[in-house]
Amino acid sequence: MALVTEQDFGTPARISPNLVTLEIDGQVVTVPAGTSVMRAAAEIETTIPKLCATDSLEPFGSCRLCVVEIEGRRGTPASCTTPVEPGMKVRTQTPKLAKLRRNVMELYISDHPLDCLTCAANGDCELQDMAGVVGLREVRYGYDGANHLVGEKDTSNPYFTFDPTKCIVCSRCVRACEEVQGTFALTIDGRGFGSFVSAGQDDGFKESECVSCGACVQACPTATLMENSIIEAGQPEHSVVTTCAYCGVGCAFKAEMQGTEVVRMTPYKDGKANHGHSCVKGRFAWGYATHKDRITKPMIRKQITDPWREVSWEEAINYAASELKRIQATYGRDSIGGITSSRCTNEETYLVQKMIRAGFGNNNVDTCARVCHSPTGYGLGQTYGTSAGTQDFDSVDETDVMVVIGANPTDAHPVFASRMKRRLREGARLIVVDPRRIDLVKSAHIKADHHLPLKPGTNVAVVNALAHVIVTEGLAADDYIRERCDLAEFSRWAEFIADPRHSPEAVEELTGVPAAEVRAAARLYATGGRAAIYYGLGVTEHSQGSTMVMGMANLAMLTGNIGRRGVGVNPLRGQNNVQGSCDMGSFPHEFPGYRHVSGDEVRKIYEEMWEVSLSGEPGLRIPNMLDAAVEGTYKGIYIQGEDIAQSDPDVKHVTAGLAAMECVIVQDLFLNETASYAHVFLPGSSFLEKDGTFTNAERRISRVRRAIPPKAGYADWEVTMMLSEALGYPMRYSHPGEIMDEIARTTPTFKNVSFQRLDELGSVQWPCNDAAPEGTPIMHIDRFVRGKGRFMITEFVPTEERTGPRFPLVLTTGRILSQYNVGAQTRRTDNIAWHEEDVLEIHPSDAENRGVRDGDWVALASRSGETSLRARISDRMQPGVVYTTFHHAETGANVVTTDYSDWATNCPEYKVTAVQVRRVNHLSDWQVAYRELREKTIQIERPQEAAE
């Protein structure tokens, strides 16, 4: 194997219907108008020396190394900033150019440390490469006089080092921070010879606005900005292209290796979701895969109060299977079930639901999408006929108006947020609907046109008010509605929405949003051009989550913003394979491809393929499983890669359900909180240890490729096969590619998907079938999947969770940039430097009323429970609303969330919990009990210890 290399064309590609033909070194080349001479040369594999240019950034023209000669033009213009012209004749190599380039390089080298042999960038340094390319053999200038060879390194960032002595002030890092990331954390300070790169107000990378995305490190042509892992380990010798296992953006990365050790994760330029960009998690927080906390040997125990006992794979699998069979023999076929993982591959998720349906003999299978995006599936399925977003990410480049509802892209989906910010800087307009003032409301060089800071739980009232304005002011896309939508349904809905009770003025007191702002936002969405809605868990995690999804779908149809580029309704999925786990049939009522289990024809497909009789009755959802466990009728569960004891709401109820079961099997990387109640622990494998596919938020199916051997000996799909065989239902696959082939044979939207096709195209977006052999970037172009678009009545029904004298505040929860989900991965990396504990954001007035100061310990109490954490006084929150994250198990944010849930899907109402806050100086009773239980349940008896 070798390093995967990517050509750098020097400047970005240009898109134009007009083509320009010119001659470079005697070769004729035709390129789109606007293309630089440098890129035109690269297209015919003619490399022009460069230092300040790279094809991820706009041309800058500062290094003067890329000069060329152009017939009929005086001087030697920079090829990076010179656009092509018809008939232009360019020479890239002449004696004059060679002399100029050597002189330029000589000046650079005269003020640069000559420590190449010991430099971390040796072998991967553009300055070194260019010195060779221009033929520099000696430097006439000494080090006498002023220079930049002495400077203090900035090691404040845990992942990379800034060495100013090696900086050539090419501005690539500054431009990457501006153009690619959009944070504007870096500047060139000083002038002339005194110019230098400054992070923030020259206060170091960690204390500046830097978000550690790695764009500056990636752009640096020298060792000025260098990954600490490369400084410590040296340069990689081969690489493997794979897909990130964090959020639903699905970034492509090169895992750069030394033997079987990963030394760097580099964003892959050809990645269709990220185009060579990354965030702090995907770029740097991969060390959890080899963390000392990894469990790599199977373990069993009879009671959850017993210490764990390490056993062989054979013993663990046989014990788990025998317990599941015993339970079914005693309590019935439906007394067991399982939960698939949104962190595992499509192939692994498919196998788990197959094992449950065919091996367990029931449909008691569910997934973590139940607690995040199940309303997306229901709402979009009802209105459009398919359970997924409508656009590709690239579509945002053509959006004129963005509506961000209940999402915080800069923290939860940062790579896509950078695309959004770039488009906003180009002139797109922005509407933010969120109770919290997220970064998109106002940050460097962007500002929302409208921020609607609604009261938590009033989403549906706000979206109805927006629709009311559009209908009553005659702003609807009548032609689109007549052509594309069910007119009877629309007439019924239009009469409903036009009722004065839905007007912005009528709901202003209820929502807390000024009526004038709602009206202005509605007019902008309806008349501002191509408008796209992007939404997150602030939409779905409500008692009316499904209603709100249908409300947004109504809004898009009402204005004709479906079925073309730059528009759409787009869920921003939280985990890397939430979309895929749903696609693969992880819900108890659906086979893969969202086909109901009661359908005889669909069930027959799987009965013939799997050679077993299947149940046509929907199984239990996660909440139903836990309820049945408490009631005593559900006794066993297999949980792959999910930590429901931390992530699911009303933790006391979750743990009561787990404690009531007789066999809990957990398959994961670490002894998570759910494992505290487990009887069998099966070691999992990280994304670096397996082959397969993930499906991101834009329906993009991308390859995951094994970079290192599985630490426990098996990938997750192999473990599921072993368990299924022990249960008496053998599955025979030699590679995950064969599993995908079966998925393609049985699932119409995946018909033409295969590992070979993915390797050829890089990735595809489903539907990928005979009608769309290379995938479908934009859905519903000519017609909706269901035929005519369906307007749904979206009556606002207030949540049953109400504030009152005892619990006067509303808690809403979310995520932070540096951490991910329950924190099992990111807490085991240096990301902990930015977020070492969950904190409670509280408005200054609410804090003052309670005598709370910044940093005080406070009790956070609800009807469900109580926990303690530190307070952070912040005007991001509106009075009456508090906010926290759930990344740290010991905080136990979900101890206080309730069991209220979406009416259609049981998605929990994480975003609305009535709470009280008071100052304390001690941990809560729950936290004390948690520590005691945790101490007991992580004890492991190892065979060698017993022998001693």
Side-chain angles (χ1 to χ4, degrees), residues 25 67-69 76 90-102:
D25 293 338
V67 291
V68 293
E69 293 184 3
T76 52
V90 180
R91 287 187 293 174
T92 69
Q93 303 293 335
T94 68
K96 178 182 178 181
L97 293 174
K99 183 177 180 180
L100 285 171
R101 290 168 182 164
R102 277 196 297 272

Side-chain angles (χ1 to χ4, degrees), residues 136-167:
L136 184 65
R137 298 293 178 261
E138 61 178 348
V139 178
R140 293 167 292 174
Y141 315 113
Y143 287 148
D144 294 337
N147 58 55
H148 300 91
L149 299 178
V150 177
E152 185 176 349
K153 293 180 181 179
D154 178 0
T155 59
S156 61
N157 189 289
Y159 291 119
F160 58 81
T161 294
F162 174 71
D163 183 353
T165 68
K166 298 184 177 180
C167 182

Side-chain angles (χ1 to χ4, degrees), residues 311-511:
V311 297
S312 66
W313 273 105
E314 182 180 16
E315 183 177 350
I317 292 293
N318 288 338
Y319 179 77
S322 65
E323 282 293 281
L324 293 176
K325 288 190 283 189
R326 175 189 65 79
I327 289 170
Q328 284 191 305
T330 305
Y331 301 100
R333 183 184 66 180
D334 294 328
S335 59
I336 65 172
I339 300 175
T340 72
S341 176
S342 292
R343 290 189 290 126
C344 288
T345 65
N346 286 315
E347 294 74 18
E348 289 163 340
T349 303
Y350 177 86
L351 284 199
V352 172
Q353 64 87 31
K354 177 177 179 178
M355 178 182 69
I356 291 168
R357 299 188 199 280
F360 290 12
N362 61 46
N363 289 316
N364 291 339
V365 59
D366 211 348
T367 184
C368 87
R370 172 70 54 209
V371 300
C372 62
H373 268 289
S374 50
T376 287
Y378 182 86
L380 294 182
Q382 291 292 309
T383 51
Y384 299 160
T386 189
S387 303
T390 63
Q391 314 293 120
D392 61 357
F393 288 149
D394 288 353
S395 180
V396 75
D397 293 341
E398 299 174 44
T399 297
D400 299 311
V401 179
M402 298 179 208
V403 184
V404 178
I405 307 181
N408 187 5
T410 56
D411 279 20
H413 305 87
V415 170
F416 181 61
S418 294
R419 295 283 297 277
M420 300 175 83
K421 290 190 289 184
R422 182 189 306 171
R423 180 60 183 154
L424 290 170
R425 294 195 302 273
E426 292 171 347
R429 313 284 294 278
L430 174 64
I431 301 165
V432 174
V433 184
D434 201 291
R436 187 167 173 259
R437 197 184 73 244
I438 61 173
D439 286 345
L440 281 182
V441 172
K442 185 179 181 181
S443 56
H445 299 281
I446 62 167
K447 185 174 187 282
D449 293 83
H450 303 285
H451 176 209
L452 311 185
L454 75 172
K455 294 177 182 178
T458 63
N459 285 354
V460 173
V462 170
V463 79
N464 283 347
L466 292 167
H468 175 91
V469 173
I470 295 169
V471 168
T472 58
E473 294 189 4
L475 304 178
D478 295 331
D479 292 343
Y480 181 92
I481 294 167
R482 278 192 296 269
E483 179 184 350
R484 298 288 304 275
C485 302
D486 185 312
L487 290 180
E489 295 278 9
F490 170 72
S491 297
R492 184 169 66 94
W493 174 82
E495 182 180 355
F496 158 80
I497 209 70
D499 192 300
R501 66 193 172 96
H502 297 308
S503 71
E505 291 75 18
V507 300
E508 181 173 340
E509 185 176 354
L510 171 70
T511 65

